[in-house]
Amino acid sequence: MSISVVYWSGTGNTQAMAEAIGEGIESAGAQANVISVDQANVDVLAEEDVFALGCSAMGAEELEESEMEPFVAELEGKVSGKKILLFGSYGWGDGEWMRSWVERMTAAGAKMAEPEGVIANETPGSDDLDACKAAGAKLVD
Ligand SMILES: Cc1cc2nc3c(=O)[nH]c(=O)nc-3n(C[C@H](O)[C@H](O)[C@H](O)COP(=O)(O)O)c2cc1C
């Protein structure tokens, strides 16, 4: 079983979370396919029943607008019944972008692997990375 972890990251914070999620997936005995969104294909991803999506808080509590937002918008119609782990890093906000993202994907019919996603303030610390690894491992049945 291979589980994709697709992310957008401007300065590497969300990327570090993605890599930790990938480690968690592999520690639980599955293969992880950790890729940035510019390398991902919506139709290929939509064939998986379980996957992770990551993006830092950008704009004003939004997903990154040039790559991640269009990818998620296209994916949205294809996530019904799927188990998705949302994650990302944020800065000065209170996590609003993640609450909105969870709500959006839930409304599209996806089941959240973590009800509030996994978020980290700026550079993920070791506790954050441990939470990412644990969430990754939980994606493997
Ligand atoms: C253009 C821009 C917009 C941002 N908007 C927000 C925001 O709305 N809320 C927030 O909490 N942080 C915001 N941030 C901070 C980033 O989310 C934060 O630095 C994060 O750690 C970046 O992670 P990354 O390296 O994975 O992109 C913004 C940063 C940039 C550069």
Side-chain angles (χ1 to χ4, degrees):
M1 174 168 157
S2 175
I3 298 178
S4 291
V5 181
V6 175
Y7 68 90
W8 183 91
S9 183
T11 60
N13 295 336
T14 302
Q15 181 179 2
M17 297 175 78
E19 285 163 2
I21 290 166
E23 278 178 45
I25 290 169
E26 294 194 339
S27 74
Q31 254 189 300
N33 178 32
V34 182
I35 53 173
S36 68
V37 66
D38 60 323
Q39 297 175 281
N41 176 288
V42 168
D43 293 318
V44 172
L45 186 63
E47 284 169 17
E48 297 183 22
D49 292 330
V50 178
F51 54 83
L53 288 177
C55 185
S56 42
M58 286 287 131
E61 301 298 332
E62 289 155 338
L63 299 177
E64 185 278 327
E65 67 179 355
S66 73
E67 293 176 347
M68 197 69 191
E69 173 54 39
F71 187 87
V72 169
E74 202 185 336
L75 188 64
E76 221 171 338
K78 308 179 182 195
V79 296
S80 185
K82 297 188 186 291
K83 184 159 119 184
I84 302 179
L85 171 64
L86 298 181
F87 65 96
S89 173
Y90 67 102
W92 52 83
D94 69 350
E96 183 188 337
W97 106 107
M98 182 57 71
R99 292 195 295 279
S100 305
W101 197 11
V102 163
E103 205 173 290
R104 177 179 177 182
M105 301 315 274
T106 302
K111 293 173 282 188
M112 294 297 102
E114 295 291 341
E116 298 177 353
V118 178
I119 66 176
N121 189 238
E122 298 292 354
T123 306
S126 61
D127 287 356
D128 297 314
L129 295 173
D130 285 347
C132 289
K133 286 179 200 164
K138 265 175 63 184
L139 291 178
V140 183
D141 275 334

